[in-house]
Amino acid sequence: MGNAGWKQSINPLACGVKCAHKVTTVSHTYMEELRYMSNGLEALFEYERGKCVGILNGIDTKVWDPSADTYLENHFSTEDIEAGKLASKKLLCDTFHLDINKPLIVFIGRLVGEKAADLLPRVIGDSIHFMQGKMNFLVLGSGDF
Protein backbone atom coordinates (compact mmCIF):
# COMPACT_ATOMS: atom_id res chain seq x y z
CA MET A 1 0.00 0.00 0.00
CA GLY A 2 1.92 3.04 -1.25
CA ASN A 3 1.16 6.69 -0.80
CA ALA A 4 1.25 7.62 -4.49
CA GLY A 5 -2.34 8.89 -4.23
CA TRP A 6 -1.21 11.30 -1.54
CA LYS A 7 1.50 12.97 -3.67
CA GLN A 8 4.37 11.52 -1.61
CA SER A 9 3.13 13.16 1.58
CA ILE A 10 2.10 11.77 4.94
CA ASN A 11 -1.65 11.39 5.39
CA PRO A 12 -2.52 11.53 9.13
CA LEU A 13 -5.96 9.96 8.59
CA ALA A 14 -4.43 7.05 6.67
CA CYS A 15 -1.84 6.61 9.43
CA GLY A 16 -4.61 6.57 12.03
CA VAL A 17 -6.63 3.97 10.13
CA LYS A 18 -3.54 1.83 9.59
CA CYS A 19 -2.45 1.96 13.25
CA ALA A 20 -5.89 1.65 14.86
CA HIS A 21 -7.15 -1.59 16.37
CA LYS A 22 -10.73 -0.70 15.37
CA VAL A 23 -12.19 1.97 13.06
CA THR A 24 -15.82 3.07 13.38
CA THR A 25 -18.13 5.39 11.50
CA VAL A 26 -21.59 6.74 12.24
CA SER A 27 -23.37 4.04 10.20
CA HIS A 28 -22.90 0.76 8.39
CA THR A 29 -23.74 2.49 5.12
CA TYR A 30 -21.13 5.20 5.57
CA MET A 31 -18.44 2.64 6.37
CA GLU A 32 -19.33 0.81 3.16
CA GLU A 33 -19.22 4.10 1.19
CA LEU A 34 -15.66 4.75 2.37
CA ARG A 35 -14.51 1.65 0.50
CA TYR A 36 -15.70 3.24 -2.77
CA MET A 37 -15.54 6.99 -2.20
CA SER A 38 -13.10 8.45 0.32
CA ASN A 39 -10.82 10.92 -1.46
CA GLY A 40 -8.03 8.50 -2.26
CA LEU A 41 -8.36 6.26 0.81
CA GLU A 42 -10.61 3.69 -0.87
CA ALA A 43 -7.91 1.00 -1.18
CA LEU A 44 -6.90 1.51 2.46
CA PHE A 45 -10.49 1.09 3.71
CA GLU A 46 -10.86 -2.00 1.52
CA TYR A 47 -7.58 -3.45 2.81
CA GLU A 48 -8.43 -2.68 6.46
CA ARG A 49 -12.12 -3.68 6.21
CA GLY A 50 -11.65 -6.42 8.82
CA LYS A 51 -11.21 -3.87 11.59
CA CYS A 52 -13.73 -1.34 10.23
CA VAL A 53 -17.32 -1.29 11.47
CA GLY A 54 -20.22 1.08 11.20
CA ILE A 55 -22.28 1.71 14.29
CA LEU A 56 -25.85 2.79 13.81
CA ASN A 57 -26.71 6.29 14.92
CA GLY A 58 -29.76 6.19 17.05
CA ILE A 59 -31.22 5.86 20.46
CA ASP A 60 -31.40 3.17 23.07
CA THR A 61 -34.98 2.02 22.49
CA LYS A 62 -35.22 0.54 25.99
CA VAL A 63 -34.22 3.79 27.69
CA TRP A 64 -36.27 6.05 25.41
CA ASP A 65 -39.36 3.83 25.04
CA PRO A 66 -42.36 6.21 25.27
CA SER A 67 -44.40 3.56 27.08
CA ALA A 68 -41.94 3.54 30.00
CA ASP A 69 -39.76 6.68 29.63
CA THR A 70 -39.48 8.26 33.08
CA TYR A 71 -39.04 11.71 31.50
CA LEU A 72 -42.50 11.60 29.89
CA GLU A 73 -45.55 12.59 31.83
CA ASN A 74 -47.89 10.89 29.34
CA HIS A 75 -46.86 7.38 28.32
CA PHE A 76 -47.98 5.84 25.02
CA SER A 77 -47.32 2.90 22.75
CA THR A 78 -47.78 2.09 19.06
CA GLU A 79 -51.46 1.39 19.73
CA ASP A 80 -52.15 4.95 20.91
CA ILE A 81 -49.30 6.88 19.33
CA GLU A 82 -51.39 9.78 17.96
CA ALA A 83 -53.09 10.43 21.29
CA GLY A 84 -49.79 10.04 23.16
CA LYS A 85 -47.92 12.44 20.89
CA LEU A 86 -50.78 14.94 21.10
CA ALA A 87 -50.74 14.78 24.92
CA SER A 88 -46.98 15.42 24.90
CA LYS A 89 -47.37 18.31 22.44
CA LYS A 90 -50.13 19.80 24.59
CA LEU A 91 -47.89 19.68 27.66
CA LEU A 92 -45.04 21.40 25.75
CA CYS A 93 -47.38 24.02 24.32
CA ASP A 94 -48.95 24.71 27.72
CA THR A 95 -45.53 24.94 29.39
CA PHE A 96 -44.09 27.36 26.82
CA HIS A 97 -47.33 29.23 25.96
CA LEU A 98 -47.48 27.98 22.37
CA ASP A 99 -50.54 27.47 20.19
CA ILE A 100 -51.32 23.74 20.09
CA ASN A 101 -53.16 24.15 16.77
CA LYS A 102 -49.96 25.23 14.98
CA PRO A 103 -47.23 22.84 13.81
CA LEU A 104 -44.46 22.45 16.39
CA ILE A 105 -40.89 22.40 15.09
CA VAL A 106 -38.24 21.48 17.64
CA PHE A 107 -34.44 21.67 17.55
CA ILE A 108 -32.62 19.83 20.30
CA GLY A 109 -28.87 19.80 20.00
CA ARG A 110 -25.59 21.52 20.62
CA LEU A 111 -25.73 25.16 19.56
CA VAL A 112 -22.45 25.12 17.66
CA GLY A 113 -21.44 25.78 14.07
CA GLU A 114 -20.74 22.09 13.41
CA LYS A 115 -24.43 21.38 13.97
CA ALA A 116 -25.49 24.38 11.82
CA ALA A 117 -26.91 26.20 14.83
CA ASP A 118 -25.75 29.47 13.28
CA LEU A 119 -28.44 28.93 10.62
CA LEU A 120 -31.29 28.68 13.12
CA PRO A 121 -32.15 32.40 13.44
CA ARG A 122 -32.39 32.81 9.66
CA VAL A 123 -34.29 29.56 9.12
CA ILE A 124 -36.75 30.34 11.89
CA GLY A 125 -37.23 33.91 10.65
CA ASP A 126 -37.73 32.80 7.04
CA SER A 127 -40.13 30.05 8.12
CA ILE A 128 -42.22 32.41 10.23
CA HIS A 129 -42.35 34.86 7.32
CA PHE A 130 -43.22 32.17 4.74
CA MET A 131 -45.84 30.53 6.98
CA GLN A 132 -47.15 33.92 8.14
CA GLY A 133 -46.50 33.06 11.78
CA LYS A 134 -48.58 29.87 11.69
CA MET A 135 -46.02 27.66 13.43
CA ASN A 136 -44.26 27.15 16.73
CA PHE A 137 -40.52 26.76 17.26
CA LEU A 138 -38.88 25.34 20.35
CA VAL A 139 -35.08 25.30 20.68
CA LEU A 140 -33.22 23.45 23.42
CA GLY A 141 -29.46 23.35 23.65
CA SER A 142 -26.28 24.92 24.89
CA GLY A 143 -23.14 26.03 23.15
CA ASP A 144 -21.77 28.98 21.25
CA PHE A 145 -24.97 30.55 19.94
Side-chain angles (χ1 to χ4, degrees):
M1 173 132 286
N3 66 353
W6 306 317
K7 299 178 183 159
Q8 301 301 314
S9 62
I10 295 173
N11 184 316
L13 180 58
C15 293
V17 169
K18 194 72 181 149
C19 295
H21 294 285
K22 186 68 87 177
V23 177
T24 64
T25 63
V26 296
S27 72
H28 304 287
T29 306
Y30 184 55
M31 179 54 75
E32 187 65 24
E33 285 176 21
L34 290 175
R35 292 175 51 212
Y36 301 100
M37 190 172 45
S38 57
N39 294 317
L41 296 178
E42 295 85 359
L44 175 63
F45 281 108
E46 176 63 27
Y47 184 79
E48 298 291 351
R49 71 181 181 273
K51 65 180 178 185
C52 296
V53 295
I55 54 173
L56 184 61
N57 269 339
I59 61 171
D60 183 329
T61 55
K62 290 180 183 169
V63 172
W64 301 108
D65 178 356
S67 66
D69 188 338
T70 58
Y71 289 104
L72 291 180
E73 193 165 306
N74 305 295
H75 295 106
F76 59 93
S77 67
T78 54
E79 288 80 37
D80 59 348
I81 194 166
E82 293 301 319
K85 287 173 64 175
L86 183 60
S88 293
K89 179 182 178 182
K90 182 175 180 348
L91 181 61
L92 276 174
C93 288
D94 288 348
T95 301
F96 294 102
H97 310 290
L98 302 172
D99 185 345
I100 193 161
N101 297 309
K102 293 180 181 179
L104 176 60
I105 300 164
V106 178
F107 174 90
I108 301 173
R110 290 186 301 124
L111 300 173
V112 295
E114 294 87 6
K115 300 292 183 181
D118 55 322
L119 301 177
L120 283 173
R122 174 81 187 255
V123 169
I124 291 170
D126 288 352
S127 299
I128 289 172
H129 175 74
F130 179 74
M131 295 296 293
Q132 300 170 344
K134 297 178 182 158
M135 57 185 14
N136 296 309
F137 280 93
L138 189 58
V139 177
L140 174 66
S142 63
D144 300 334
F145 299 98

